[in-house]
Amino acid sequence: MALLKIARMGHPVLFQHAKTVADPGDPAIRRLVDDMIETMLDAPGVGLAAPQVHVSLRLFVFRVPESRGGEGTEIPPSVLINPSIEFLSEEMMMCAEGCLSIPAMRGMVPRFAHIRYRGVDCDGRAVEVEARGFHANVIQHEYDHLDGILYPMRLVDFTSFGYAAEFANAANGDAP
Ligand code: NI
């Protein structure tokens, strides 16, 4: 396995509409997925989409750490190939997001609170899962990467966008 170079905001691959994976069972896809999982864990991050490693294909890897999922909802590193998302209610939630392609920053982004997603894994097996909360947040963020959308493009309050360390300082009451 290998660590992959992560494209940062500004690289054109991040703004492309990624192509459908023709053969999810292709061993080259499995190698890519294995490398993406290693890269995500090394970063560390909770999600990584193929365009972020300069591969314009519709697949991403993700995980839900126990610290973020709550109530025993930990999800180990997983892959979703050729995904689709269905919004199960109009309820929205505000999510504090970061992105490995936009290091050190974060912003508040509105996301659908209850979704169902579908796709296939590296064995071509169908995946169909209902998700809420952080799990639903990660899926929507990674899915956006496949359509060339980065989270700052979804900001509704630009004052929520900035360096994570500055927000942390402010929350701790430290003087600037
Ligand atoms: Ni991202």
Side-chain angles (χ1 to χ4, degrees):
M1 292 204 288
L3 293 178
L4 304 172
K5 186 176 182 191
I6 298 176
R8 291 183 300 171
M9 186 166 63
H11 194 294
V13 71
L14 294 173
F15 302 115
Q16 290 170 12
H17 187 92
K19 290 191 173 63
T20 299
V21 178
D23 177 10
D26 185 336
I29 294 295
R30 187 181 294 273
R31 280 197 297 277
L32 171 65
V33 167
D34 287 345
D35 288 346
M36 285 174 61
I37 287 174
E38 187 181 10
T39 303
M40 171 180 72
L41 295 175
D42 176 74
V46 291
L48 187 66
Q52 291 182 275
V53 293
H54 309 84
V55 177
S56 193
L57 288 175
R58 301 189 77 77
L59 70 88
F60 58 76
V61 298
F62 68 99
R63 65 192 177 104
V64 177
E66 194 165 11
S67 61
R68 304 297 294 272
E71 298 177 22
T73 53
E74 181 179 7
I75 297 175
S78 303
V79 63
L80 198 60
I81 300 171
N82 296 336
S84 64
I85 300 182
E86 180 184 352
F87 305 117
L88 297 179
S89 90
E90 292 181 4
E91 183 191 347
M92 305 298 289
M93 56 183 179
M94 291 302 290
C95 303
E97 297 195 10
C99 181
L100 295 176
S101 294
I102 314 168
M105 305 198 74
R106 58 138 255 208
M108 298 297 295
V109 181
R111 298 290 186 185
F112 287 92
H114 188 197
I115 65 170
R116 178 184 293 125
Y117 61 90
R118 297 181 172 85
V120 296
D121 66 16
C122 288
D123 297 316
R125 280 190 300 246
V127 175
E128 179 178 334
V129 179
E130 245 185 85
R132 298 173 186 270
F134 184 76
H135 183 188
N137 179 192
V138 170
I139 296 293
Q140 288 170 84
H141 176 112
E142 299 311 325
Y143 184 91
D144 267 356
H145 276 297
L146 309 183
D147 287 342
I149 297 169
L150 300 177
Y151 80 82
M153 296 155 77
R154 293 199 181 276
L155 291 169
V156 291
D157 174 6
F158 202 77
T159 67
S160 78
F161 184 49
Y163 290 94
E166 294 290 359
F167 286 118
N169 285 345
N172 292 335
D174 292 353

